């Protein structure tokens, strides 16, 4: 989904295109907001505003709820289709070649956090005993096409008949139905602020409902996970409404309990005292982000992209990594020196990654990549189920043992502090050689091949930490390099940035698991929501209809039902004495609250749940917000950093930097997102805990002193408003976000997510793939909703048979049978038999056409190619063999093979290390391809028309050679569907050859 610049302000902001405006609405949950006193996050509540309206296109001014637009053909009052009513091919777009459709569908899968060529592990478990290997490709094709419908228009829910229309043949309708229900239940489609039409056949009047008590789901916490779960459950209950109405019951109701007076949890956009004379778009308000701050990449599957850009049409500002680093004396750090130290820091982090835990393999299976990229489905009989193969595949990060190529930390993103992944080897170059490559000068008495030995730090205790290993690496590098005090300050600035990402001192992070989520990062630009991140949970609360939210409902005790017990009712006791009963409870309290034991559980939580709660860490990040009347800094820089002094002046001892390195180490310039001159100073690592005990006056004085050093030419004015966060003291948070503590074990995040009877868990600390993020919290809410709907309805029901055997028609010439006889015999044919006969005959016709003419010319791709892709194609076989040999040598198993990701990583390293001379032939071939593609595009339409004309001739000939298969009416309908009725009437006209590209005015596509 693209974005277009907003035209309502001079800001370089973005908003979704083509969406209706959303009116500004105010709802005060707490009048204390109007006092504008510097608050703690737990006590101050912002007024509830709806999203800022979109101004693209400018003519759209009528307020409208997201989800009302019907850009795909859909009727909200039509009846729910039965399986026998489903029709294939109806959702396959006109004039789009199979390869183009496949390309868009593959992109949609990547945009939905799914591998387009591989079953998700949950899909594999669902299908493993029911489909054979060739059918995997057919399923993936359909699943990817369904995702395409959703990604292209997330304002409209995808229906079952639309999903069935993604199948090329009625034989695959069972796969389409299963794929659709799996995507709906798991929250890959139809999520967020979208209305789910009621398609149920049954309309039961209220007085006809059973007198049994209506089923209820209680969700504790109105943060992103709680609101996301509630909104998803509302959609699922509407989607499966008929399951309840058919037995005389109302669908379950959803109640959200929130202890605070506001929503959002750790997403808190505090309204500023001054609102006038700002630079924000119309109907936006000036806020400061006290909690979550950044959307970490819109691409590659971030569900917030659909909500922010595709549904709510919120304005957002793309961030730039254009930071400047200031030294302690206020001078700007030399960029060359900064880059050298950053490379050294990345090398240290890379060497520590050698001790990372290796992830367990997951069972899944690949489809046929070439077939999926071509948009083709398999043919022929079924084989044994894939469960007989039990293919072992690595997780997406492709970790391997031994010294082969693998994903390793490739540095830290300055905007987020997160390590990102690159292809590398566990076997590192000697540190002296590596330092020379970074630009460092090595002492003459240093042995070139002397290696760093971190085993002492990594194996000296039962629970080694990342900080201990990195500190040991710094000490050993000091023997090789002449590190100055400024180099040490620079190194520790990067330490502080890593502590910002984890909300904890690096000395508390597990050496083996601190980056267990690496490889799951979303791609694309980072961004901030203009006017406040809290607009996102507010939109989820209100659209398409307001959720049942009850504030000031702090929970004291939860009585739940363990597995196997007869009692099925859970009870929630609130601080105010209210007791609410529910069939299921979803708890989204932060990990810090669980660690505080502020909620009593009856029965007590089992040890397998208490263990992860105790072992995982829950850290703290705090902020000092400064609002000024006018800016004195460069407003075009989104952030700037500050190196910090050690406790001992100019010390070279790493321990002297620990306490102070995160204190005001980074400043966010929020002019373009808050509309006023606002700076946010971060307090990370140990410094974050200092903010909990120091007064506002002390902290503001300290940060003002540092700003005065950085901007010596300008007197630093007194801020007009200040806010200090203290998340550790917030009773509803007790910190900021989770991290992998030193005692943590692999699988702790998964155990945090596992339900206990009718008690479910959600929140960022239950999302092992995306912890410590807003999108991770939201994804966990989708997962919990999936658990609840399965508890109510049971697992997805699979049609039997899931894939019927192919039906072969008798296509031998029947010259003695005339059309009238075929028509007469067809009167006794069932509708299903007729459909199978026509599909089988059409398949034979297409086979004849493709055998004689080959595939229909595809639209030329983009001019040129990627030289690395050409290199990959050239060297894949030899590199795979080398990786296979390395894998066998390290594992001792002669049957093992390297995964596809391992080969890709190895090729990436080979390409980066190759000389310019070696790369030249591939670069030249890229240019030749560009020229050839340009020439091919010039003749494409002519070649296409010629192929279509020949295909019609082959079809005519084939039909004439097989009389009796089609009745007169069926043959006439075939030519009409192709746009050539005259061919049946004997006129050999070729005016409109479109049957192989699908005419936009026809509901039938032949391919």
């Amino acid at each position: 989904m693209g974005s277009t610049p907003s035209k309502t302000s001079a800001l370089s902001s973005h908003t979704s295109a083509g969406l209706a405006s959303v009116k500004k609405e105010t709802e005060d949950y707490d009048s204390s907001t109007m006092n504008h006193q510097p608050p703690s996050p737990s006590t101050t509540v912002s007024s509830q505003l709806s999203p800022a309206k979109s101004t693209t296109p400018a003519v759209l001014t009528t307020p409208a709820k997201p989800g009302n637009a019907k850009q795909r053909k859909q009727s909200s009052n039509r009846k729910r289709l039965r399986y026998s009513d489903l029709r294939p091919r109806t959702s396959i777009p006109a004039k789009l070649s199979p390869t183009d459709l496949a390309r868009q569908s593959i992109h949609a899968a990547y945009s939905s956090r799914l591998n387009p060529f591989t079953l998700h592990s949950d899909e594999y478990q669902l299908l493993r005993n029911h489909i054979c290997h060739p059918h995997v490709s057919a399923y993936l094709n359909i699943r990817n096409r369904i995702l395409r419908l959703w990604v292209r228009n997330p304002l409209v829910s995808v229906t079952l008949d639309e999903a069935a229309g993604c199948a090329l043949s009625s034989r695959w309708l069972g796969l389409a139905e299963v794929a659709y229900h799996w995507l709906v239940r798991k929250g890959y489609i139809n999520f967020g602020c979208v209305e789910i039409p009621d398609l149920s056949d049954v309309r039961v009047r209220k007085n006809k409902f059973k007198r049994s008590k209506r089923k209820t789901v209680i969700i504790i916490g109105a943060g992103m996970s709680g609101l996301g779960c509630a909104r998803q459950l509302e959609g699922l209950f509407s989607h499966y409404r008929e399951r309840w109405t058919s037995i005389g019951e109302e669908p379950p109701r959803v109640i959200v309990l929130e202890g605070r007076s506001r929503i959002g949890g750790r997403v808190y956009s505090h309204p500023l005292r001054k609102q006038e004379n700002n630079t924000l778009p119309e109907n936006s308000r000036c806020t400061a982000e006290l909690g979550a701050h950044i959307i970490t990449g819109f691409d590659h599957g971030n569900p917030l992209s659909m909500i922010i850009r595709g549904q709510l049409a919120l304005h957002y500002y793309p961030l730039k990594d254009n930071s400047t680093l200031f030294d302690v004396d206020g001078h700007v750090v030399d960029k060359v020196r900064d880059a050298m130290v950053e490379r050294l820091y990345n090398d240290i982090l890379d060497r520590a990654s050698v001790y990372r835990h290796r992830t367990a393999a997951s069972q899944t299976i690949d489809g046929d990549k070439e077939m999926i990229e071509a948009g083709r489905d398999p043919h022929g009989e079924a084989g044994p189920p894939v469960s007989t193969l039990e293919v072992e595949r690595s997780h997406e990060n492709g970790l391997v043992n031994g010294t082969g190529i693998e994903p390793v930390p490739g540095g830290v993103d300055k905007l987020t502090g997160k390590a990102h992944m690159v292809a590398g080897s566990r076997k590192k170059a000697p540190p002296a050689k590596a330092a020379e490559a970074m630009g460092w000068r090595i002492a003459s008495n240093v042995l070139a091949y002397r290696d760093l030995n971190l085993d002492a730090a990594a194996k000296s205790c039962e629970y080694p930490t990342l900080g201990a290993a990195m500190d040991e690496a710094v000490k050993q590098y000091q023997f090789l390099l002449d590190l100055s005090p400024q180099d040490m300050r620079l190194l520790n600035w990067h330490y502080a940035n890593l502590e910002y990402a984890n909300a904890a001192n690096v000395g508390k992070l597990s050496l083996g698991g601190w980056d267990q989520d690496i490889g799951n990062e979303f791609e694309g630009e980072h961004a901030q929501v203009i006017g406040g991140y809290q607009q996102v949970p507010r939109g989820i609360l209100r659209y398409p209809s307001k959720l049942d939210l009850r504030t000031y409902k702090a929970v004291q005790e939860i009585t739940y039902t363990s597995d196997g017990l007869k009692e099925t009712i859970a009870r929630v006791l609130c601080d105010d004495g209210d007791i609410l009963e529910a069939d299921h409870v979803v708890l989204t309290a932060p990990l810090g609250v669980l660690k505080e034991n502020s909620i009593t559980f009856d029965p007590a939580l089992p040890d397998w749940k208490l263990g992860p709660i105790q072992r995982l860490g829950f850290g703290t990040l705090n902020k000092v917000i400064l609002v000024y009347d006018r800016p004195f800094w460069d407003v075009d820089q989104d952030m700037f950093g500050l190196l910090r002094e050690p406790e001992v002046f100019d010390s070279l001892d790493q321990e002297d930097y620990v306490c102070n390195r995160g204190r005001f180490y980074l400043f966010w310039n929020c002019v373009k997102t808050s509309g006023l001159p606002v700076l946010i100073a971060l307090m990370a690592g140990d410094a974050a805990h200092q903010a909990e005990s120091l007064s506002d006056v002390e902290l503001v004085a300290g940060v003002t002193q540092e700003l005065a050093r950085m901007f010596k030419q300008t007197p630093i004015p007194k801020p007009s408003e200040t806010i200090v966060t203290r998340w550790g003291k917030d009773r509803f948070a007790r910190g900021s976000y989770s991290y992998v503590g030193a005692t943590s074990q692999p699988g702790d995040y998964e155990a945090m997510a596992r339900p206990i009877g009718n008690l479910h868990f959600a929140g960022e600390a239950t999302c092992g793939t995306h912890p410590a993020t807003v999108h991770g919290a939201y994804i966990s809410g989708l997962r919990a909703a999936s658990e609840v709907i399965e508890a109510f309805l049971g697992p997805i029901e699979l049609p039997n048979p899931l894939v019927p055997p192919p039906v072969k028609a008798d296509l031998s010439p029947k010259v003695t049978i005339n059309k009238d006889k075929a028509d007469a015999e067809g009167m006794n044919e069932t509708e299903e038999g007729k459909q199978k006969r026509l599909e089988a005959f059409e398949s034979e016709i297409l086979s004849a056409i493709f055998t004689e003419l080959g595939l229909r010319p595809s639209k030329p791709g983009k001019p040129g190619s990627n030289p690395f892709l050409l290199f990959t194609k050239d060297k894949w076989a030899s590199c795979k063999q080398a990786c296979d040999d390395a894998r066998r040598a390290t594992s001792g198993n002669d049957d093992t093979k390297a995964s596809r990701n391992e080969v890709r990583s190895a090729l990436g390293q080979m390409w980066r290390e190759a000389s310019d001379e070696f790369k030249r032939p591939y670069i030249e071939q890229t240019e030749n391809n560009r020229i050839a593609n340009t020439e091919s595009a010039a003749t494409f339409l002519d070649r296409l028309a010629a192929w279509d004309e020949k295909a019609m001739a082959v079809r005519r000939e084939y039909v004439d050679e097989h009389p009796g298969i089609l009745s007169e009416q069926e043959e006439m309908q075939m030519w009409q569907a192709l746009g050539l009725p005259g061919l049946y009437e004997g006129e050999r006209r070729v005016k409109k050859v479109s049957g192989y590209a699908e005419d936009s005015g026809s509901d039938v596509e032949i391919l």
Side-chain angles (χ1 to χ4, degrees), residues 274 277 627-633 676-678 717-721:
K274 179 182 177 182
N277 299 324
V627 185
Y628 295 94
D629 293 329
R630 61 183 62 85
F632 51 84
W633 60 90
L676 295 174
V678 175
K718 181 180 179 180
S720 59
E721 184 178 0

Side-chain angles (χ1 to χ4, degrees), residues 207-332:
N207 60 359
K208 296 294 185 182
F209 282 124
K210 292 180 180 179
R211 298 202 174 191
S212 59
K213 190 174 182 179
R214 185 181 181 184
K215 292 180 171 56
T216 302
V217 179
I218 290 179
I219 297 174
I220 301 172
M224 280 296 291
S225 58
L227 292 173
C229 181
R231 177 57 65 201
Q232 182 69 1
L233 282 175
E234 289 277 12
L236 289 172
F237 293 154
S238 177
H239 180 89
Y240 293 105
R241 174 183 174 85
E242 188 178 352
R243 299 288 191 96
W244 285 276
T245 57
S246 62
I247 59 174
E249 292 185 10
E250 290 186 82
R253 62 180 174 181
V254 180
I255 300 173
V256 182
L257 304 181
E258 170 56 48
R260 296 183 176 93
S261 56
R262 63 170 178 85
I263 64 167
R266 286 164 280 168
V267 177
Y268 182 21
S269 307
H270 179 65
L272 298 179
R273 188 178 302 155
K274 179 182 177 182
Q275 294 290 325
E276 64 275 6
N277 299 324
N278 64 71
T279 59
L280 296 182
E282 184 181 358
N283 292 333
S284 298
R285 63 176 181 174
C286 305
T287 62
E289 303 294 3
L290 273 59
H293 199 104
I294 301 172
I295 303 161
T296 54
F298 274 125
D299 301 335
H300 215 284
N302 191 337
L304 297 186
S305 174
M306 297 290 183
I307 297 173
I308 293 173
R309 302 197 292 186
Q311 294 174 346
L312 297 178
L314 297 179
H315 295 274
Y316 64 92
Y317 174 72
L319 296 168
K320 303 178 291 295
D321 183 8
N322 57 357
S323 60
T324 295
L325 282 181
F326 291 88
D327 207 344
V328 291
D329 58 1
H331 290 93
V332 175

Side-chain angles (χ1 to χ4, degrees), residues 560-569 602-603 757-758:
Y560 65 97
T561 301
S562 299
D563 294 318
L565 298 181
K566 292 183 179 180
E567 177 65 36
T568 60
I569 298 299
D602 182 17
N758 61 355

Side-chain angles (χ1 to χ4, degrees), residues 499 504-505 508 658-662 683-691:
E499 293 173 339
N505 186 299
K508 296 181 179 180
V658 174
C659 181
N660 200 41
R661 63 190 172 209
M683 305 269 289
D686 289 352
H689 297 279
Q690 298 171 12

Side-chain angles (χ1 to χ4, degrees), residues 829-861:
E829 187 180 33
T830 65
E831 185 66 26
E832 182 178 2
K834 176 183 176 181
Q835 181 72 14
K836 291 180 178 179
R837 173 173 57 81
L838 294 177
E839 287 183 358
F841 188 56
E842 180 63 26
S843 178
E844 293 296 330
I845 294 175
L846 295 178
S847 178
I849 292 173
F850 294 147
T851 300
E852 182 167 340
L853 303 179
L855 292 176
R856 189 170 187 262
S858 298
K859 185 177 180 181

